[in-house]
Amino acid sequence: MTEIIETDVLVIGAGIAGVGVAAALGDRHRVVILERETQPGYHSTGRSAAIFLPNYGNDVVRGLNQASAPLFQQRDVGLFPDPLLNPRGSLTVAGEDGVEACEDFVRNSVGVETIDIDRAIAMVPILNRDHINAACYQADAWDIDVNALHQGWLRKATALGVELYTKCEVVGAKRIAGEWQVDTGDRTFRAKTVVNASGAWADVTAGLFGARPLGLTPMRRSIAVLPAPDGQDTRGWPLVDDVNEAWYMKPDGGRMFVSPCDETPVEPHDAFVDDVILAEGLYRFEQAVTIPVTRVESSWAGLRTFAPDRTPVAGFDSKVDGFFWLAGQGGYGIQTSPALSALSAALIGRQDPERAVEPLLAKLSPARFD
């Protein structure tokens, strides 16, 4: 006999978006999270080498970055006993074909300064002087402890009574008498509101509810783990990226994460590395540094899902009652999640979304994060 479970809000997806909005809703609503995998955060959230970059993304994303900053800056130590951020800094370099783009980046950003090549190489000694024609630096960039953020919200959600069901994939849904009946095979969930936080599968999920797809595109991003160069201590190095997004390098302990900055449109799936694309990116990285890439310790890939305009989507579907989109966060999902969670919870609860963000903005301080 099929088990029937009643709730107010049914969240599909237990990545950073789904868990974040569930934690924001749990004090006022009965909430259930469904996760198709064996554990929450299995796909994009669990494979993110996230960094908080205030200048990352378009104007909307930058506003969400600003609104999200207070959670990181003044974290709830009950939920997040250890710092969510660690200072990193971000160094952007440009070859001959990127000088103008570097100048534009400085002009259109806050807290980014042009620096000379000597200073750039002092920061990261392996940079190839013959390859770099311009550089700029932003001190306000921090590594995000993605697992701590995700697990803290999961603890908050479950403490509020939110229920999480893993290995629970939606296979059908219908709207009856003002509520959704959602079928997962051995269970039926009934809820007035469904939140589509299913990441790369968001358009697929929408089809099960009769909603038109938004044209969301999952894009593969690959990373290679390289050993630190002989005789170099990489721990204090900043993130380094090419202004034209040909590659980036993020230090991690005694290793380097190097990505070709690939954005290959793919179908939603358990992402894997394309060795050719990874090799091409590592070649571009090699040209910008003075060391050869002789060994790759490991590699992985994840999916970053973008809306057509590269702006996250948060709101009720205009034609399908009780169906809420929380999708298309792309490469901004971790750092914008505090604001998107608060905004989404306000919209779902029919509250003023601007007031939901005001407390976050009120906590902003010009002080550096600790």
Side-chain angles (χ1 to χ4, degrees):
M1 184 174 179
T2 302
E3 182 182 7
I4 298 176
I5 299 169
E6 302 272 357
T7 190
D8 298 324
V9 181
L10 185 67
V11 179
I12 302 174
I16 199 74
V19 169
V21 75
L25 286 166
D27 60 342
R28 296 189 180 188
H29 305 272
R30 293 178 301 166
V31 181
V32 167
I33 308 172
L34 304 184
E35 171 55 53
R36 68 195 298 271
E37 304 296 348
T38 58
Q39 64 188 51
Y42 177 81
H43 289 287
S44 297
T45 298
R47 307 178 193 193
S48 174
I51 191 164
F52 191 97
L53 291 166
N55 292 298
Y56 194 30
N58 60 27
D59 288 344
V60 173
V61 172
R62 291 186 182 195
L64 291 168
N65 295 341
Q66 182 186 20
S68 295
L71 179 138
F72 297 109
Q73 186 178 23
Q74 300 171 16
R75 72 188 191 281
D76 181 342
V77 294
L79 293 176
F80 314 109
D82 296 318
L84 293 171
L85 300 179
N86 289 293
R88 174 60 60 193
S90 178
L91 172 64
T92 298
V93 297
E96 186 176 358
D97 62 345
V99 173
E100 186 175 344
C102 196
E103 293 170 351
D104 287 343
F105 179 57
V106 173
R107 187 164 44 247
N108 296 318
S109 301
V110 176
V112 180
E113 60 173 325
T114 300
I115 63 172
D116 60 34
I117 308 305
D118 287 340
R119 184 177 171 194
I121 294 175
M123 291 179 179
V124 182
I126 63 171
L127 288 173
N128 184 352
R129 184 182 298 274
D130 295 334
H131 179 85
I132 300 174
N133 291 76
C136 58
Y137 178 70
Q138 50 185 321
D140 293 342
W142 300 266
D143 292 337
I144 303 175
D145 189 334
V146 179
N147 183 64
L149 179 64
H150 187 243
Q151 290 300 314
W153 273 340
L154 191 57
R155 284 193 299 272
K156 177 182 178 180
T158 54
L160 292 170
V162 175
E163 296 181 71
L164 169 65
Y165 292 82
T166 56
K167 296 190 290 186
C168 201
E169 182 174 1
V170 176
V171 296
K174 51 188 175 182
R175 186 84 169 169
I176 299 175
E179 70 175 9
W180 286 106
Q181 293 193 13
V182 179
D183 180 20
T184 63
D186 58 348
R187 298 183 181 94
T188 296
F189 295 86
R190 292 178 178 168
K192 292 181 179 179
T193 302
V194 167
V195 178
N196 181 10
S198 53
W201 283 264
D203 270 352
V204 177
T205 298
L208 296 172
F209 290 83
R212 295 183 61 181
L214 299 180
L216 300 169
T217 304
M219 295 187 177
R220 183 176 56 222
R221 171 61 57 92
S222 307
I223 288 181
V225 181
L226 308 183
D230 290 341
Q232 298 285 349
D233 183 355
T234 64
R235 289 174 296 179
W237 290 3
L239 169 84
V240 188
D241 70 320
D242 175 83
V243 73
N244 290 326
E245 298 190 350
W247 57 271
Y248 79 75
M249 183 276 291
K250 180 177 180 289
D252 184 78
R255 302 171 299 172
M256 301 184 295
F257 291 171
V258 178
S259 172
C261 296
D262 46 324
E263 290 189 345
T264 306
V266 294
E267 294 298 316
H269 70 292
D270 191 352
F272 57 89
V273 171
D274 183 314
D275 290 336
V276 172
I277 289 176
L278 189 63
E280 290 172 349
L282 291 175
Y283 173 78
R284 294 192 296 269
F285 170 71
E286 271 191 312
Q287 307 314 299
V289 297
T290 57
I291 60 166
V293 175
T294 57
R295 179 164 62 93
V296 174
E297 293 185 351
S298 61
S299 62
W300 79 87
L303 301 182
R304 311 186 322 153
T305 301
F306 290 94
D309 63 356
R310 298 216 160 203
T311 299
V313 179
F316 281 102
D317 192 282
S318 60
K319 299 186 183 303
V320 179
D321 290 341
F323 187 78
F324 189 93
W325 291 87
L326 181 52
Q329 294 94 334
Y332 327 114
I334 306 298
Q335 69 179 40
T336 61
S337 56
L340 276 173
S341 296
L343 282 169
S344 298
L347 291 167
I348 292 165
R350 310 295 180 176
Q351 298 171 307
D352 181 353
E354 290 188 7
R355 292 187 65 185
V357 176
E358 281 175 3
L360 295 175
L361 291 173
K363 293 180 182 178
L364 270 177
S365 157
R368 297 289 295 276
F369 296 178
D370 55 25

